[in-house]
Amino acid sequence: WAFGAAEAASDRLCIATNATIQVPLSAQDLCFCAESNGCGGGFLVSAWHYIAENGLVTGSQVNNTGPFGAGYCSQFSLPHCHHHGPQGSDPYPDEGTPGCPTVSSSPACPKACDSTATAPHNDFQNDKYSFEGRPVSFRDADAIAEAIMSGGPVETAFSVYSD
């Protein structure tokens, strides 16, 4: 939920500004500030409301990895681990195995940029990106396709049942 919203918001920001702003937004900021227990999951609508009301700082993946590299305000603090079921072809280790600690509580909501952040992304309050408006729900696949074509990625969720 947090990664999907941060990534979709980053892409929509780039599209809306005609590529004058190309930054990755922080899943760390969203995951652990929008919900009290981000590791336990979140809700798409609350994620988008958080972005609109508070903004997100820039951020990279754990250890400043990922396509944008280092220098952003708040990198994700937990390693990429496999959660929820069999690994299959997922190359990442299972949670609770070496390299993937079991997390019993969510990290704290970041209030300052990481020490590896560089200007202009090293000032937490001035590195916030937001949007005006409100989250929108779409009535059908055609409306979703139209939204993607006109504004970029969208985010969706669904319930998974054990039966």
Side-chain angles (χ1 to χ4, degrees), residues 4 9 18 20 28-29 46 55 61 67 70 88 96 103 105 111 118 127-128 134 146 161:
N18 203 23
T20 59
Q28 179 85 8
D29 187 3
S46 61
Q61 296 171 12
V103 177
S105 63
K111 302 290 185 202
T118 58
D127 195 45
K128 292 278 190 171
R134 60 182 179 80
E146 185 178 320
Y161 299 95

mmCIF file of all heavy atoms in Angstrom, residues 4 9 18 20 28-29 46 55 61 67 70 88 96 103 105 111 118 127-128 134 146 161:
data_model
loop_
_atom_site.group_PDB
_atom_site.id
_atom_site.type_symbol
_atom_site.label_atom_id
_atom_site.label_comp_id
_atom_site.label_asym_id
_atom_site.label_seq_id
_atom_site.Cartn_x
_atom_site.Cartn_y
_atom_site.Cartn_z
ATOM 1 N N GLY A 4 3.150 1.333 -3.246
ATOM 2 C CA GLY A 4 2.324 1.603 -4.423
ATOM 3 C C GLY A 4 1.906 3.060 -4.506
ATOM 4 O O GLY A 4 1.979 3.680 -5.573
ATOM 5 N N ALA A 9 2.410 8.225 -6.903
ATOM 6 C CA ALA A 9 2.453 9.675 -6.697
ATOM 7 C C ALA A 9 3.704 10.278 -7.333
ATOM 8 O O ALA A 9 3.640 11.361 -7.934
ATOM 9 C CB ALA A 9 2.390 10.000 -5.200
ATOM 10 N N ASN A 18 5.209 17.912 -16.349
ATOM 11 C CA ASN A 18 5.865 17.758 -17.653
ATOM 12 C C ASN A 18 7.351 17.425 -17.476
ATOM 13 O O ASN A 18 8.211 17.976 -18.151
ATOM 14 C CB ASN A 18 5.664 19.001 -18.508
ATOM 15 C CG ASN A 18 5.805 18.693 -19.982
ATOM 16 O OD1 ASN A 18 5.636 17.557 -20.411
ATOM 17 N ND2 ASN A 18 6.121 19.719 -20.767
ATOM 18 N N THR A 20 9.395 18.227 -15.156
ATOM 19 C CA THR A 20 10.286 19.196 -14.517
ATOM 20 C C THR A 20 10.620 18.780 -13.089
ATOM 21 O O THR A 20 11.607 19.257 -12.531
ATOM 22 C CB THR A 20 9.679 20.619 -14.515
ATOM 23 O OG1 THR A 20 8.433 20.592 -13.829
ATOM 24 C CG2 THR A 20 9.482 21.120 -15.944
ATOM 25 N N GLN A 28 9.024 5.271 3.181
ATOM 26 C CA GLN A 28 9.288 5.321 4.627
ATOM 27 C C GLN A 28 8.402 6.381 5.276
ATOM 28 O O GLN A 28 7.744 6.122 6.280
ATOM 29 C CB GLN A 28 10.766 5.637 4.878
ATOM 30 C CG GLN A 28 11.161 5.732 6.333
ATOM 31 C CD GLN A 28 11.482 4.402 6.963
ATOM 32 O OE1 GLN A 28 11.557 3.384 6.300
ATOM 33 N NE2 GLN A 28 11.695 4.397 8.254
ATOM 34 N N ASP A 29 8.387 7.567 4.698
ATOM 35 C CA ASP A 29 7.571 8.662 5.210
ATOM 36 C C ASP A 29 6.101 8.252 5.220
ATOM 37 O O ASP A 29 5.400 8.408 6.224
ATOM 38 C CB ASP A 29 7.793 9.899 4.329
ATOM 39 C CG ASP A 29 7.134 11.173 4.837
ATOM 40 O OD1 ASP A 29 6.525 11.172 5.921
ATOM 41 O OD2 ASP A 29 7.237 12.189 4.121
ATOM 42 N N SER A 46 -6.385 6.460 2.888
ATOM 43 C CA SER A 46 -5.653 7.204 3.916
ATOM 44 C C SER A 46 -4.249 7.549 3.437
ATOM 45 O O SER A 46 -3.711 8.607 3.782
ATOM 46 C CB SER A 46 -5.620 6.456 5.250
ATOM 47 O OG SER A 46 -4.981 5.221 5.132
ATOM 48 N N GLY A 55 2.114 15.922 2.493
ATOM 49 C CA GLY A 55 3.202 15.798 1.541
ATOM 50 C C GLY A 55 4.116 14.642 1.913
ATOM 51 O O GLY A 55 4.035 14.102 3.021
ATOM 52 N N GLN A 61 15.244 3.389 -1.846
ATOM 53 C CA GLN A 61 15.028 2.087 -1.229
ATOM 54 C C GLN A 61 16.098 1.857 -0.163
ATOM 55 O O GLN A 61 16.987 2.675 0.024
ATOM 56 C CB GLN A 61 15.054 1.007 -2.315
ATOM 57 C CG GLN A 61 13.912 1.177 -3.306
ATOM 58 C CD GLN A 61 14.031 0.260 -4.497
ATOM 59 O OE1 GLN A 61 14.825 -0.672 -4.522
ATOM 60 N NE2 GLN A 61 13.237 0.527 -5.519
ATOM 61 N N PRO A 67 16.664 2.604 -8.603
ATOM 62 C CA PRO A 67 17.065 3.297 -9.826
ATOM 63 C C PRO A 67 17.485 4.747 -9.627
ATOM 64 O O PRO A 67 18.238 5.283 -10.433
ATOM 65 C CB PRO A 67 15.813 3.205 -10.711
ATOM 66 C CG PRO A 67 14.690 2.971 -9.768
ATOM 67 C CD PRO A 67 15.262 2.209 -8.624
ATOM 68 N N ALA A 70 21.235 7.384 -4.319
ATOM 69 C CA ALA A 70 21.348 8.021 -3.009
ATOM 70 C C ALA A 70 21.087 9.522 -3.069
ATOM 71 O O ALA A 70 20.926 10.095 -4.136
ATOM 72 C CB ALA A 70 22.731 7.761 -2.443
ATOM 73 N N GLY A 88 8.513 -19.122 -4.057
ATOM 74 C CA GLY A 88 8.461 -19.314 -5.508
ATOM 75 C C GLY A 88 9.736 -18.806 -6.143
ATOM 76 O O GLY A 88 10.834 -19.151 -5.726
ATOM 77 N N GLY A 96 12.486 -13.259 8.939
ATOM 78 C CA GLY A 96 12.902 -14.090 10.053
ATOM 79 C C GLY A 96 14.119 -14.947 9.753
ATOM 80 O O GLY A 96 14.586 -15.674 10.612
ATOM 81 N N VAL A 103 10.158 -8.266 12.235
ATOM 82 C CA VAL A 103 9.844 -6.932 12.732
ATOM 83 C C VAL A 103 8.592 -7.030 13.594
ATOM 84 O O VAL A 103 7.532 -7.408 13.111
ATOM 85 C CB VAL A 103 9.625 -5.949 11.555
ATOM 86 C CG1 VAL A 103 9.238 -4.579 12.067
ATOM 87 C CG2 VAL A 103 10.865 -5.878 10.687
ATOM 88 N N SER A 105 7.476 -4.399 15.575
ATOM 89 C CA SER A 105 6.788 -3.106 15.583
ATOM 90 C C SER A 105 7.363 -2.240 14.474
ATOM 91 O O SER A 105 8.517 -2.393 14.079
ATOM 92 C CB SER A 105 6.923 -2.412 16.932
ATOM 93 O OG SER A 105 8.276 -2.118 17.209
ATOM 94 N N LYS A 111 11.244 12.256 11.144
ATOM 95 C CA LYS A 111 11.025 13.689 11.398
ATOM 96 C C LYS A 111 12.155 14.538 10.843
ATOM 97 O O LYS A 111 12.096 15.761 10.874
ATOM 98 C CB LYS A 111 10.897 13.959 12.903
ATOM 99 C CG LYS A 111 9.782 13.190 13.573
ATOM 100 C CD LYS A 111 8.435 13.687 13.147
ATOM 101 C CE LYS A 111 7.342 12.977 13.938
ATOM 102 N NZ LYS A 111 6.060 12.994 13.289
ATOM 103 N N THR A 118 21.426 14.705 0.535
ATOM 104 C CA THR A 118 22.194 15.847 0.038
ATOM 105 C C THR A 118 21.242 16.926 -0.471
ATOM 106 O O THR A 118 20.098 16.654 -0.821
ATOM 107 C CB THR A 118 23.158 15.423 -1.089
ATOM 108 O OG1 THR A 118 22.405 14.832 -2.154
ATOM 109 C CG2 THR A 118 24.186 14.412 -0.585
ATOM 110 N N ASP A 127 11.428 19.559 1.762
ATOM 111 C CA ASP A 127 11.524 18.486 0.759
ATOM 112 C C ASP A 127 10.180 17.793 0.569
ATOM 113 O O ASP A 127 10.101 16.719 0.000
ATOM 114 C CB ASP A 127 12.600 17.473 1.180
ATOM 115 C CG ASP A 127 13.012 16.559 0.041
ATOM 116 O OD1 ASP A 127 13.221 17.054 -1.084
ATOM 117 O OD2 ASP A 127 13.110 15.338 0.269
ATOM 118 N N LYS A 128 9.102 18.388 1.025
ATOM 119 C CA LYS A 128 7.767 17.785 0.938
ATOM 120 C C LYS A 128 7.122 18.076 -0.416
ATOM 121 O O LYS A 128 7.151 19.202 -0.897
ATOM 122 C CB LYS A 128 6.857 18.318 2.044
ATOM 123 C CG LYS A 128 7.254 17.885 3.446
ATOM 124 C CD LYS A 128 6.734 16.511 3.744
ATOM 125 C CE LYS A 128 6.904 16.139 5.204
ATOM 126 N NZ LYS A 128 6.237 14.912 5.542
ATOM 127 N N ARG A 134 -8.512 15.498 -4.233
ATOM 128 C CA ARG A 134 -8.795 14.376 -3.342
ATOM 129 C C ARG A 134 -8.683 13.071 -4.119
ATOM 130 O O ARG A 134 -8.781 13.061 -5.345
ATOM 131 C CB ARG A 134 -10.179 14.526 -2.727
ATOM 132 C CG ARG A 134 -11.302 14.574 -3.734
ATOM 133 C CD ARG A 134 -12.655 14.771 -3.050
ATOM 134 N NE ARG A 134 -13.711 14.838 -4.013
ATOM 135 C CZ ARG A 134 -14.269 13.792 -4.614
ATOM 136 N NH1 ARG A 134 -13.867 12.578 -4.339
ATOM 137 N NH2 ARG A 134 -15.229 13.947 -5.488
ATOM 138 N N GLU A 146 -8.892 5.281 -18.659
ATOM 139 C CA GLU A 146 -8.901 6.709 -18.997
ATOM 140 C C GLU A 146 -8.050 7.505 -18.005
ATOM 141 O O GLU A 146 -7.297 8.398 -18.387
ATOM 142 C CB GLU A 146 -10.338 7.223 -19.008
ATOM 143 C CG GLU A 146 -10.457 8.655 -19.461
ATOM 144 C CD GLU A 146 -11.907 9.118 -19.510
ATOM 145 O OE1 GLU A 146 -12.774 8.332 -19.945
ATOM 146 O OE2 GLU A 146 -12.158 10.264 -19.092
ATOM 147 N N TYR A 161 -8.983 -13.900 0.302
ATOM 148 C CA TYR A 161 -9.626 -14.806 1.241
ATOM 149 C C TYR A 161 -8.920 -16.153 1.242
ATOM 150 O O TYR A 161 -8.364 -16.576 0.231
ATOM 151 C CB TYR A 161 -11.106 -14.991 0.866
ATOM 152 C CG TYR A 161 -11.873 -13.695 0.913
ATOM 153 C CD1 TYR A 161 -12.071 -12.930 -0.220
ATOM 154 C CD2 TYR A 161 -12.363 -13.225 2.124
ATOM 155 C CE1 TYR A 161 -12.755 -11.727 -0.170
ATOM 156 C CE2 TYR A 161 -13.051 -12.015 2.195
ATOM 157 C CZ TYR A 161 -13.248 -11.285 1.036
ATOM 158 O OH TYR A 161 -13.914 -10.095 1.116
#
